[in-house]
Amino acid sequence: MHKVRITIYMSVLGLLLAGAIMAHFEGTSIEDVLAYAILLSHPASFSSAPLSTSTVSTEVMATSTTATTSPFVFSNTTDKSNIISATAIIDLTNMERATVANLPPLKENVLLDAAAEMKLNDMFNNQYFAHISPSGVGPGDLALKAGYNYVVEGENLAEGDFTSATNLLNAWMASPGHRANILNVRYINIGVAVRQGMYQGQEVWMAVQEFGKPLSSCPVISAVLHQEIITNQTKATSLSQQLNTIKQELMTTATGTPEENSVYNQIAQDYNGDVTIYNAVVARLKVEIPTYNDEVQAFNACVNS
């Protein structure tokens, strides 16, 4: 009898929270979660006051919610427990979510179906069983290739001589990591591919579950506002330096004679004109930065819920 194997993957898109004026990208590795996990990066929030001599940080906190629904209703009265198919696996997965954790059903997504099918075909064609292919392609790569932009994406794999869809689901549910993927409250969508094929000289079943929460389900962080803040921060810094230069010039300019007073007054007039422009830029930043941070906070909350 061929040995049954199952394996799990989870990928999360996270936010780096900033305490500095300049945003940056940074990839951060975290310890393994559910057998395999990565943390991707997103532009940091602007959370400082660039208009004063000291930087003030504002921590963006995420909140999480737990969904509760009425028990999932099986799609029809046909007993699918002995049929190994994508539809049966999805139905049984949703039954487990409903009965075990009172979670809403996952919606089948054609893009995740396509990603699962690509994964299944690749494993049979290249004779491997792993989340990362021999060429270095992972589940997140396949989801994106299929057109599914995500904030959270996960994968369950199974390979063996399964006798039914129930037998396959029971194997996943008996494994803490795979069970956690199936019962993950953050997932909204599912895609499945399953079939028999030749693997290492034996005919076996292979199954792929792709889970996801689409990027489109979360509030948008304005790229236009992001760029406007950067532009205004640069402008404010340049004006501040210019004002300091003019101020030094004023302090060293002689006064007394009509000619000297005229020169001084012209420099003072230029200084006051630049102060007016600087204050206008400062006023815009005082509105833009909190607005941008609110958008980031809403996105963080969505990613983590």
Side-chain angles (χ1 to χ4, degrees), residues 210-229:
E210 299 291 351
F211 305 95
K213 180 175 184 174
L215 182 62
S216 60
S217 67
C218 289
V220 174
I221 299 175
S222 174
V224 173
L225 181 57
H226 179 199
Q227 185 57 51
E228 182 70 17
I229 290 171

Side-chain angles (χ1 to χ4, degrees), residues 17-58:
L17 307 181
I21 292 176
M22 296 305 294
H24 64 281
F25 290 86
E26 179 178 306
T28 305
S29 296
I30 59 174
E31 62 184 86
D32 286 351
V33 177
L34 307 182
Y36 184 91
I38 58 173
L39 183 67
L40 304 180
S41 65
H42 190 276
S45 66
F46 285 90
S47 52
S48 62
L51 314 175
S52 64
T53 55
S54 61
T55 299
V56 180
S57 298
T58 303

